[in-house]
Amino acid sequence: MPEFLTAILLLLVSGLAAAVSSRSDVGHRVGQLGAILGSVLGLVPAIRVLIDGRSEGASAIWHMPGGTLHFQIDVLSAFFLLPIFGLSIVAALYGRSYLSTGDGAHDSAGSWFHLNLLTASMALVVGAHDGLLFLLAWEIMALSPFFLVIFDDRKAASRHAAWTYLAAAHLGTAFLLVLFVLLGALAGTSDFDGYGAVLNSHTPLSSAIFALALIGFGSKAGIVPAHVWLPEAHPAAPSHVSALMSGSMIKVGIYGIVRILIMLGTPEAWWGWALIVVGATSGILGVLFALAQHDLKRLLAYHSVENIGIILLGIGVGVLGLATGNPPLAVIGFAAGLLHVLNHCIFKGLLFLGAGAVQRAAHTLDLEELGGLLTRMKWSGWAFLIGSAAIVGLPPLNGFVSEFLLFTSGFIAVVHPLAPIATAGLIVIVALGLISGLAAACFAKAFGIVFLGSPRSAEAAAAHEVARPMVAAMAILAVLCAVIGLAAPAVVAALARVVAAATRLSPDVVGSQLTLVTGSLTTVVIMFAILIAIGALAWRLRTGRLAGAAIRRGPVWGCGYLFPSSRMQYTASSFVQPLVSQFHLFVRNHEVLKPPEGYFPGTASSSYSSDSGDPFLQLLFAPTFRWFDRMATRLKVIQHGHIHVYVLYVAATLIALLIWESF
């Protein structure tokens, strides 16, 4: 535990030092070094707890009324510290080169303060064992990304995204405040142990507590419809910040849901159904909205919503298994959801870093302006391809493993004699199948439009590979995608302690259930390892034969066109138009078509484009905020600007409170 507190201190001190050294290279070096060393140090107690299974804690006197300065790292906390500190190391390695090149060169080194503060606050949330301390750390975690999203405050879009994020973040915080006030009133203490003792007695308010947790923590995780801040904030923030927010920060919301579920004890069956419905809705709508996007980081942001849906599907199945006394369903469901927390951190972090490399090299994230980058950015292109294959669940990469577990849990539920459980399993299988298929189409579009074909702009034609530290950061995550996939049986077996903590089942029961799955995974891994070896051998033989052969090079057959151009290829809009049109009830796609005219139309005489806004933002949140704005404007009449009037307001309030108390 001393290492954890030292890591927090190191992150904060290095961030402050970087802020003091604003705009200097020294500030960048100090901020980067502090982020890396602090995160490495923070991983030490997390790994130790995961290995030996013993919790570590620390407490001190805190003069804050109603709270205690109580930290504790148990197995669940240790597991969630892995994506927080692990991705922070990679983001810091990437960030310095990203900030010092291209459009980011003007930015202050002080941004490291907010980045390190974000990492420290996430770790404090996961390590807090007191309700008041938890809320304080949560508020810091909610505020620090605001300054990172508004990083380039010269752009109106960045300012709009930052305020959208801040409003959404505090909407969720309001529900959490009610949640912890209710928990404190029931337990008579702010300590988590006291919460658990009261909630395990099956209080009538258990369902209300679960609902508050789902809404409050789900808003941070990005569930539909509280997801609207993700596609606004991620494109505006620097790419290494986007990677940390998507890969780690939204998972803190998942941590909160699981932590409350543990406190609540044996769950109600409808809680599992609620998580399954929310997960299926978020997963399907998230990938549908992603299909229609033409900004690369905005596309990736919607895929974060999709993957949060996948995680909730797994946890929902697990909760349903606990509620119905079905250990295999509970164990495999929670294993799928928790493993996908880690897997999504890795491949989504990789994809956001890849998007940042594209932005730095081609100076745009507009898919319609990109193309042909694989020949100019080979390392970045191959890393992005690995991340794309992992996120759609292709073997033998890490995304396949957690989705395999989720499919397995669905099949276990389908064969159950109880119709409600079988129906839930069918929903999971159909939803995950649809999500996987649509995700494959979306990343065929993303990778193909960005890296294949011909450049669609002069900037794309002049692109080049990014700095070595940026490539190294992407390479680390790409290797992890492959390692977890190829070591799937060992990785799943290593989840036993974490799943046992989440389900409150005995480690022996959890281990026996996971063993049944690891046998199937071993067969799959061996099969694909053999295929990889055969493919590598074939490639080696081919390159060896071609090395000494005379190769003639000539133009590719152009189907009769003597002068092909970049316009003679799919655009991002046209590539997915047939698919998006099938879901027009959900995707509000605005299409603009200018058909060719005459026998010999010019290059500028015809065009097709599409634009998709978020229906929840347009139809729900924007009207609601406009209504609140009108109401707040009417309250300006009480703002006279005279101090004696404000003193009168205070006195009237105190009198009203005294009258209230007298009754």
Side-chain angles (χ1 to χ4, degrees):
M1 197 65 185
E3 300 97 335
F4 175 79
L5 299 177
T6 305
I8 300 299
L9 183 62
L10 182 56
L11 286 166
L12 296 177
V13 171
S14 61
L16 285 171
V20 171
S21 306
S22 181
R23 292 186 179 274
S24 72
D25 186 60
V26 174
H28 283 287
R29 291 177 182 272
V30 171
Q32 181 190 49
L33 186 62
I36 293 175
L37 292 180
S39 298
V40 170
L41 191 59
L43 284 175
V44 173
I47 295 174
R48 186 168 59 235
V49 169
L50 287 173
I51 291 175
D52 60 30
R54 291 195 298 269
S55 300
E56 298 183 8
S59 60
I61 297 175
W62 194 21
H63 298 291
M64 181 72 71
T68 58
L69 201 62
H70 187 186
F71 300 97
Q72 181 170 303
I73 300 178
D74 58 10
V75 172
L76 185 67
S77 299
F79 177 77
F80 277 88
L81 286 175
L82 295 182
I84 292 173
F85 285 132
L87 190 56
S88 179
I89 295 171
V90 180
L93 175 63
Y94 181 99
R96 183 179 160 213
S97 297
Y98 178 89
L99 293 174
S100 61
T101 58
D103 299 333
H106 72 278
D107 291 316
S108 168
S111 63
W112 287 101
F113 169 71
H114 298 110
L115 182 65
N116 290 3
L117 182 63
L118 174 60
T119 302
S121 59
M122 288 190 293
L124 286 173
V125 168
V126 172
H129 206 68
D130 176 86
L132 190 59
L133 178 61
F134 183 97
L135 284 175
L136 179 61
W138 184 275
E139 182 63 15
I140 297 173
M141 182 186 69
L143 288 174
S144 51
F146 171 82
F147 300 97
L148 295 166
V149 174
I150 206 170
F151 197 53
D152 192 356
D153 57 0
R154 301 168 302 176
K155 298 179 180 178
S158 296
R159 298 192 296 272
H160 171 76
W163 289 111
T164 301
Y165 161 77
L166 196 63
H170 285 87
L171 182 64
T173 303
F175 284 91
L176 294 183
L177 184 60
V178 175
L179 168 66
F180 280 95
V181 168
L182 182 59
L183 288 174
L186 291 173
T189 179
S190 62
D191 193 79
F192 280 9
D193 292 333
Y195 294 165
V198 171
L199 294 179
N200 273 318
S201 62
H202 299 286
T203 170
L205 294 175
S206 294
S207 291
I209 290 170
F210 168 76
L212 288 170
L214 179 59
I215 297 172
F217 290 121
S219 298
K220 176 62 69 177
I223 62 173
V224 172
H227 68 284
V228 293
W229 64 270
L230 275 89
E232 301 294 328
H234 285 317
S239 288
H240 60 296
V241 175
S242 300
L244 192 61
M245 290 174 64
S246 179
S248 301
M249 189 183 76
I250 63 176
K251 306 308 188 318
V252 179
I254 300 297
Y255 166 79
I257 292 174
V258 177
R259 178 63 72 184
I260 293 296
L261 285 171
I262 294 174
M263 293 180 184
L264 288 169
T266 304
E268 301 286 341
W270 78 265
W271 301 355
W273 273 102
L275 290 169
I276 290 173
V277 171
V278 170
T281 304
S282 299
I284 294 172
L285 291 182
V287 71
L288 282 175
F289 295 156
L291 268 172
Q293 303 308 313
H294 307 316
D295 182 285
L296 185 56
K297 287 176 70 176
R298 190 176 178 87
L299 179 150
L300 294 176
Y302 275 114
H303 276 287
S304 294
V305 180
E306 169 224 327
N307 280 273
I308 287 296
I310 293 175
I311 292 169
L312 290 180
L313 281 174
I315 295 175
V317 170
V319 170
L320 194 59
L322 290 175
T324 56
N326 190 329
L329 195 60
V331 170
I332 305 303
F334 269 99
L338 292 173
L339 181 57
H340 205 72
V341 166
L342 184 60
N343 286 339
H344 178 253
C345 166
I346 296 170
F347 58 64
K348 183 52 67 65
L350 170 58
L351 290 168
F352 268 115
L353 298 187
V358 170
Q359 185 178 21
R360 282 292 170 260
H363 307 289
T364 184
L365 289 169
D366 187 353
L367 298 182
E368 308 292 11
E369 299 294 325
L370 297 169
L373 295 186
L374 188 59
T375 58
R376 297 162 177 80
M377 305 171 63
K378 291 185 177 179
W379 291 105
S380 298
W382 283 107
F384 194 92
L385 179 61
I386 292 173
S388 300
I391 196 173
V392 302
L394 294 181
L397 300 173
N398 60 339
F400 165 79
V401 183
S402 47
E403 293 191 15
F404 176 86
L405 292 177
L406 186 53
F407 271 121
T408 301
S409 68
F411 285 116
I412 292 174
V414 163
V415 299
H416 197 278
L418 292 178
I421 297 180
T423 303
L426 185 61
I427 292 174
V428 169
I429 293 171
V430 173
L432 185 57
L434 183 59
I435 291 169
S436 300
L438 293 173
C442 190
F443 277 94
K445 159 192 161 178
F447 181 80
I449 298 297
V450 173
F451 289 99
L452 303 181
S454 302
R456 295 174 176 82
S457 65
E459 290 80 5
H464 56 81
E465 189 58 89
V466 293
R468 290 182 179 178
M470 297 170 68
V471 173
M474 290 185 283
I476 291 171
L477 296 177
V479 169
L480 285 175
C481 288
V483 168
I484 291 178
L486 292 173
V491 171
V492 172
L495 285 174
R497 281 200 176 99
V498 183
V499 175
T503 59
R504 305 184 70 176
L505 297 173
S506 69
D508 293 336
V509 171
V510 173
S512 63
Q513 298 300 329
L514 291 179
T515 301
L516 300 177
V517 183
T518 54
S520 302
L521 278 174
T522 301
T523 303
V524 174
V525 167
I526 292 175
M527 180 180 68
F528 279 98
I530 293 173
L531 291 176
I532 291 173
I534 293 173
L537 179 60
W539 179 263
R540 182 69 185 89
L541 293 174
R542 178 183 178 275
T543 54
R545 290 189 61 184
L546 293 178
I551 302 175
R552 292 185 301 167
R553 298 182 181 275
V556 177
W557 182 54
C559 302
Y561 291 97
L562 298 179
F563 301 101
S565 70
S566 61
R567 291 174 59 85
M568 298 176 187
Q569 57 185 341
Y570 276 108
T571 63
S573 299
S574 61
F575 186 87
V576 296
Q577 188 275 336
L579 193 56
V580 171
S581 63
Q582 303 300 314
F583 297 94
H584 60 88
L585 291 177
F586 305 102
V587 181
R588 300 170 60 87
N589 211 26
H590 177 64
E591 299 181 350
V592 178
L593 173 63
K594 185 179 180 182
E597 299 178 356
Y599 293 106
F600 301 100
T603 57
S605 65
S606 60
S607 63
Y608 169 79
S609 63
S610 64
D611 181 51
S612 175
D614 193 302
F616 291 97
L617 181 61
Q618 296 171 347
L619 302 178
L620 177 61
F621 288 98
T624 302
F625 287 135
R626 284 195 295 266
W627 181 84
F628 275 109
D629 184 58
R630 289 195 298 269
M631 294 299 102
T633 301
R634 295 179 182 179
L635 293 176
K636 288 183 178 180
V637 296
I638 66 174
Q639 293 179 307
H640 299 280
H642 302 295
I643 295 178
H644 62 277
V645 177
Y646 297 148
V647 172
L648 178 62
Y649 293 159
V650 173
T653 303
L654 290 174
I655 293 172
L657 290 174
L658 289 172
I659 295 173
W660 173 271
E661 185 65 23
S662 65
F663 289 103

